[in-house]
Amino acid sequence: MPEELEGLYYRGTLSPPAIEFASPQGKQLFTEALEGGTMEGFFKLISYYQTQSEINYCGIASLAMVFNALAIDPGRTWKGTGPWRWFDDTMLDSCEPLSKIKDEGVSFAKVAYSAYCNGANVEAFRTNESSIDDFRRHVISSASSSEDSHHNGNGHYSPIGGYHAGRDMVLILDVARFKYPPHWMPLTLLWEAMDTIDESTGQHRGFMVISRSHKAFVSSLMHSSGHEDLKKVAKYLIEDVPPRMKLKDIKGVENILSVLFKSAPVDLKDFIKCVAEFWRQEDAGVFSSKIEKEEVLKLVEETELFKHLNRWLASEISSCKSLISFGFNENTVFHMKLSLLDQTCRKETNLTLAKADGAKPMTLVSGKIRTNGIDQGIDMLLVPSSLTSQSRNLLHPSTAGILTLLVLALRQRTWAGIKQENLLAQFNHLTSIDNLPTPLQLEVLHLRRQLHFLMIDLRGPSLSG
């Protein structure tokens, strides 16, 4: 800071061709753009304009501003005081601890992932995957829309508040307001600034188009689970599973499921447990009411894939195979510590029917198992999948339901290595999402996109702050 400015108000000075929003020329640009219909998103954004609270919080401050403009419910009160529910940047720690973001910034992929986690739909474009014409088209579309508004952001992250068609300029609502005020910038110059390589990672920068998404319970599940563990699960499902499908001895659907899940990383068990814990909390979830959860759960259980998975899991339970390594099955009453299940095998099993209070018959699995050389009795009550969610004591999906979502989220090319043509056609039919009911299809696509972003992050996204 110059010596003559010590003790005085100070921030950076804009250099031409940037034009300060509050200047006479900036006001004229605003008036013309407003008349041209390309300032429609401005008013909601300006209502929630905020300054990033830390030097490297530009990414999460931009998200908080956009989320509030889109009226996305954070699922909790601001600073723990009711009834005010809105976002600030300190609430967006789903992808990285705030302490790490404060020191290093947050990556392009993790900003997109955090937006998904908090209920937004995100289209993310690196400049080597797009063009200046694409960028301009997205800016015009966002700036012209007042219904289901879309908002643009770039890195250093800040939302774009409007567009002037005659001058081909964008209005930058810079969240680093301690540096620069809102200002107009030529779109071509902004593109050139984005179309650079991060020297630390070798990757291009880019922009995102963020809009309000459908309400998705998967987003909250992903939000609540460990990010690093999820990356391991994503890598296994996307990179490791396809080669395993080329094995010659795959002869049926249950065989495919065995190959898929018996070699899964232990983190899959934690993921399943996380999902189950989430569903037990009837008031949990930023984006799904109890009714919405029940609807999606019912739709999952009506799929043919779910029925195959349910039969396979029941078979694994009855023979005490590798399912035990998952630790539990939410279709069962199975009260044992997870640590005791890892080295468990069946010694004998009896199947009987049980009935209580006029309910439908349920299968009671009774017998002895050996755990670390010690025999002990066990009873498991298998609840028929046909039971409605209203008859459950706790609202949560079965293990089969969770695994059904994961399998549906994998792209069809995952199964291309299956050698038997009839089996390949059958499994492609089972895993196709084309004819799924819309709520379930949206959930599956949402999970698929998040797995994709986890893989992008795993391969080394660029940091920006």
Side-chain angles (χ1 to χ4, degrees):
M1 179 184 297
E3 183 176 346
E4 62 272 16
L5 293 180
E6 286 187 5
L8 301 178
Y9 177 87
Y10 176 80
R11 70 177 175 187
T13 303
L14 292 170
S15 300
I19 300 172
E20 184 171 351
F21 177 64
S23 69
Q25 191 177 0
K27 294 177 183 178
Q28 182 65 31
L29 289 171
F30 175 79
T31 301
E32 293 171 356
L34 187 63
E35 292 175 350
T38 53
M39 295 298 297
E40 293 299 316
F42 169 80
F43 296 99
K44 285 188 176 180
L45 281 171
I46 204 66
S47 298
Y48 300 100
Y49 194 11
Q50 62 182 263
T51 303
Q52 62 192 74
S53 60
E54 297 288 347
I55 292 294
N56 287 326
Y57 275 15
C58 60
I60 55 178
S62 296
L63 284 183
M65 181 175 164
V66 170
F67 291 165
N68 289 327
L70 293 173
I72 292 175
D73 182 8
R76 55 196 185 279
T77 57
W78 178 64
K79 295 186 180 294
T81 60
W84 320 118
R85 292 161 72 98
W86 78 311
F87 283 95
D88 67 29
D89 53 15
T90 63
M91 298 165 68
L92 294 169
D93 57 352
S94 59
C95 295
E96 293 280 23
L98 290 177
S99 59
K100 186 173 182 180
I101 298 175
K102 182 178 178 179
D103 291 339
E104 303 176 11
V106 64
S107 71
F108 186 82
K110 286 181 180 177
V111 170
Y113 171 69
S114 185
Y116 278 126
C117 288
N118 286 280
N121 185 54
V122 181
E123 296 177 272
F125 306 91
R126 294 189 186 275
T127 54
N128 61 323
E129 302 168 340
S130 184
S131 68
I132 189 172
D133 292 332
D134 292 332
F135 178 51
R136 182 180 289 108
R137 185 174 64 255
H138 283 298
V139 167
I140 294 172
S141 175
S142 298
S144 303
S145 174
S146 59
E147 299 295 330
D148 190 23
S149 297
H150 295 63
H151 301 291
N152 294 76
N154 53 72
H156 147 79
Y157 305 101
S158 284
I160 293 176
Y163 176 72
H164 190 291
R167 297 280 297 273
D168 195 29
M169 299 184 81
V170 294
L171 176 61
I172 307 291
L173 299 180
D174 201 324
V175 294
R177 290 195 288 177
F178 51 86
K179 289 183 180 179
Y180 301 111
H183 55 277
W184 293 93
M185 174 71 67
L187 182 143
T188 53
L189 191 60
L190 177 58
W191 174 263
E192 290 173 6
M194 289 191 298
D195 193 23
T196 55
I197 303 294
D198 186 321
E199 294 182 358
S200 65
T201 63
Q203 294 205 28
H204 286 74
R205 304 180 188 278
F207 66 97
M208 302 172 197
V209 180
I210 303 176
S211 60
R212 184 165 183 161
S213 181
H214 69 284
K215 294 183 177 182
F217 75 78
V218 171
S219 61
S220 292
L221 303 178
M222 300 288 278
H223 180 198
S224 60
S225 184
H227 185 71
E228 295 301 319
D229 293 342
L230 288 175
K231 286 195 290 187
K232 294 175 185 177
V233 173
K235 180 182 184 301
Y236 171 76
L237 293 173
I238 294 173
E239 292 189 346
D240 300 343
V241 168
R244 295 179 186 277
M245 293 297 113
K246 298 179 181 180
L247 298 175
K248 295 181 180 180
D249 58 348
I250 295 182
K251 299 177 180 179
V253 172
E254 279 69 27
N255 197 190
I256 295 174
L257 299 176
S258 293
V259 172
L260 175 60
F261 291 118
K262 285 187 176 181
S263 300
V266 295
D267 305 282
L268 182 60
K269 179 177 68 175
D270 296 330
F271 176 76
I272 294 172
K273 182 179 178 181
C274 172
V275 173
E277 290 296 330
F278 171 83
W279 277 86
R280 287 190 180 99
Q281 305 171 36
E282 293 190 13
D283 61 342
V286 178
F287 317 110
S288 293
S289 67
K290 179 178 178 180
I291 294 175
E292 288 170 323
K293 289 179 181 181
E294 289 175 345
E295 179 185 7
V296 174
L297 178 54
K298 182 178 178 181
L299 292 174
V300 169
E301 294 183 350
E302 289 175 352
T303 65
E304 289 299 315
L305 179 60
F306 173 83
K307 296 172 185 176
H308 279 280
L309 272 159
N310 216 25
R311 286 194 295 269
W312 176 72
L313 288 169
S315 173
E316 293 290 301
I317 291 173
S318 65
S319 59
C320 200
K321 294 180 182 177
S322 64
L323 168 67
I324 297 301
S325 66
F326 287 159
F328 64 94
N329 176 2
E330 290 301 333
N331 272 342
T332 67
V333 179
F334 195 8
H335 301 291
M336 295 186 67
K337 293 181 179 179
L338 294 178
S339 60
L340 294 179
L341 296 174
D342 295 333
Q343 301 297 324
T344 302
C345 63
R346 174 183 59 87
K347 293 206 68 180
E348 59 182 78
T349 302
N350 298 309
L351 302 179
T352 59
L353 292 179
K355 197 172 183 180
D357 299 327
K360 294 182 179 181
M362 294 174 284
T363 302
L364 180 65
V365 182
S366 301
K368 292 182 180 180
I369 59 173
R370 171 163 292 181
T371 304
N372 298 325
I374 301 174
D375 290 346
Q376 53 187 307
I378 183 172
D379 292 313
M380 295 184 294
L381 190 62
L382 301 184
V383 182
S385 61
S386 61
L387 288 179
T388 63
S389 57
Q390 285 82 1
S391 66
R392 292 182 173 89
N393 291 327
L394 292 172
L395 179 63
H396 54 72
S398 65
T399 299
I402 301 167
L403 298 183
T404 297
L405 281 172
L406 280 177
V407 175
L408 289 173
L410 301 181
R411 296 187 180 275
Q412 295 270 280
R413 61 173 176 263
T414 305
W415 324 112
I418 297 173
K419 298 185 182 300
Q420 292 189 21
E421 292 184 6
N422 291 340
L423 178 59
L424 175 59
Q426 179 188 8
F427 205 72
N428 278 337
H429 176 72
L430 287 173
T431 57
S432 173
I433 67 171
D434 294 341
N435 297 318
L436 292 178
T438 299
L440 178 55
Q441 188 180 70
L442 290 173
E443 292 293 348
V444 171
L445 290 173
H446 195 78
L447 176 55
R448 180 179 292 177
R449 287 192 295 267
Q450 290 189 79
L451 290 173
H452 170 72
F453 273 99
L454 285 170
M455 288 303 299
I456 291 177
D457 191 36
L458 189 64
R459 292 165 180 156
S462 60
L463 289 177
S464 180

